[in-house]
Amino acid sequence: MADAQTAGRPEAVTGTGTGTGEAALRELLADGGLRLEVSGAVATVTLNRPERRNAMTFATWRGLAAIGRSLPAGVRVVVLRGEGPSFSAGIDLGLFSGGGEGFPDASDPEAADRAIAELQEGYTWLRRPEFVTVAAVQGHAIGGGFQLALACDIRVAADDAKFCMKEPALGLVPDLTGTKPLVEIVGIGRALELCLTARTVAADEAARIGLAEIVVPRDGLDGAVRDLVDALLAVDPGAAVATKRLLWQAAQNTLDEQCAAERREQIGRLRELFGG
Ligand code: ACO
């Protein structure tokens, strides 16, 4: 197993040819309170500031983006998890004490737009088809933490999980890519209700409204994630990539477009399986 924060072995941080260098990645992970372990086809990203309930700083989001750029080519499943009692308490509230210092400079909207886009890159790579991403959520997933879980393909929750979109209560909007999956999963009415009341959704409701695919007792979370990862790895790798690509475009496509996409992907599969 390679641990890029503590050991920094090369296989954890190279492989794509476009990634962040090993030393730079190690520094970004340390600054962002992140740990990355790559073991064969499975990468595990751990939010690792349990004493702050894995509160996130700008460095956390930049570190997540760097991980996305640096994963080795053979990774097929990425697990996002949090150390300690909570998945993540969202943005580090200490960032607000500087009167906006460190936040994107809103007096220069183009620069601010670029700065926010850079932070969003910490989340968008989780949709790439070459791997399936799994959030393992225990305790609180608040604001940016909730959005991180939403950025993953599948959410496995402990029965103590609590999801809350807190941003509007702080005068902000959720801008870490979470609004689209939230609306797609729960619908516009429920998404509005959750965001504009900033109320907390407990695990049983999360399962009922589709925010969590699997809910297990707290002490069964790691085992449930392991079982899911094993099942995901048992599927043909090429079929997994093609199917994820197909499923993620289904909501935007017309039926005709989606049928055409299915044909294209299947021809690729048939070529792979039988030649031609
Ligand atoms: N930022 C900075 N520090 C935090 C944060 C945070 N978001 N959340 C928790 N901490 C710190 C606490 O200040 C506390 O520090 P201390 O030990 O020095 O007093 C430590 O983490 C433990 O927190 P507790 O509140 O004692 O832990 P508990 O398990 O009782 O509660 C909870 C956890 C519910 C997450 C609570 O800490 C909380 O409400 N945090 C704030 C959540 C929040 O408003 N986040 C912003 C979301 S909006 C966005 O992400 C854009």
Side-chain angles (χ1 to χ4, degrees):
M1 177 173 291
D3 179 328
Q5 189 184 355
T6 56
R9 292 184 198 136
E11 65 268 28
V13 294
T14 60
T16 64
T18 56
T20 306
E22 186 186 343
L25 179 61
R26 209 162 40 233
E27 200 173 311
L28 280 165
L29 296 183
D31 287 353
L34 294 164
R35 197 168 73 229
L36 169 65
E37 292 151 319
V38 180
S39 176
V42 182
T44 302
V45 180
T46 301
L47 304 168
N48 193 29
R49 295 178 74 208
E51 71 290 353
R52 284 275 166 271
R53 299 298 180 264
N54 300 322
M56 300 161 140
T57 64
F58 298 114
T60 309
W61 298 315
R62 292 194 187 100
L64 287 169
I67 290 172
R69 287 192 296 270
S70 305
L71 286 178
V75 168
R76 294 186 52 205
V77 178
V78 180
V79 175
L80 267 290
R81 60 182 295 281
E83 202 63 64
S86 289
F87 178 71
S88 172
I91 194 170
D92 192 315
L93 296 174
L95 296 173
F96 289 97
S97 57
E101 194 188 332
F103 279 85
D105 177 5
S107 69
D108 183 347
E110 280 181 23
D113 185 85
R114 280 195 302 277
I116 297 171
E118 191 195 325
L119 303 177
Q120 290 171 330
E121 277 174 33
Y123 288 54
T124 47
W125 64 270
L126 293 159
R127 286 286 181 89
R128 276 174 21 209
E130 58 262 40
F131 34 69
V132 181
T133 53
V134 177
V137 179
Q138 83 283 8
H140 290 90
I142 304 178
F146 185 10
Q147 293 188 73
L148 187 61
L150 284 167
C152 292
D153 297 315
I154 301 171
R155 283 154 294 282
V156 183
D159 55 7
D160 69 346
K162 297 176 187 66
F163 299 88
C164 172
M165 200 67 91
K166 188 77 173 286
E167 285 82 349
L170 299 176
L172 298 169
V173 299
D175 69 342
L176 291 168
T177 78
T179 57
K180 186 170 169 64
L182 182 65
V183 169
E184 285 170 350
I185 292 169
V186 303
I188 178 69
R190 178 66 67 202
L192 273 167
E193 182 256 334
L194 291 181
C195 291
L196 297 187
T197 63
R199 84 170 165 88
T200 296
V201 176
D204 55 346
E205 183 185 0
R208 210 168 52 244
I209 65 179
L211 285 174
E213 277 68 35
I214 300 168
V215 175
V216 293
R218 174 68 186 89
D219 62 3
L221 183 61
D222 292 345
V225 170
R226 262 196 312 275
D227 289 349
L228 175 62
V229 169
D230 288 347
L232 291 167
L233 290 176
V235 169
D236 177 274
V241 172
T243 303
K244 176 171 170 179
R245 197 161 43 219
L246 202 49
L247 291 177
W248 272 120
Q249 57 183 290
Q252 284 76 50
N253 280 349
T254 64
L255 181 58
D256 282 350
E257 288 166 344
Q258 188 66 9
C259 287
E262 289 178 359
R263 294 194 296 272
R264 268 196 310 277
E265 294 289 7
Q266 198 68 306
I267 290 166
R269 292 287 74 232
L270 293 171
R271 189 174 299 130
E272 181 79 24
L273 290 173
F274 306 120

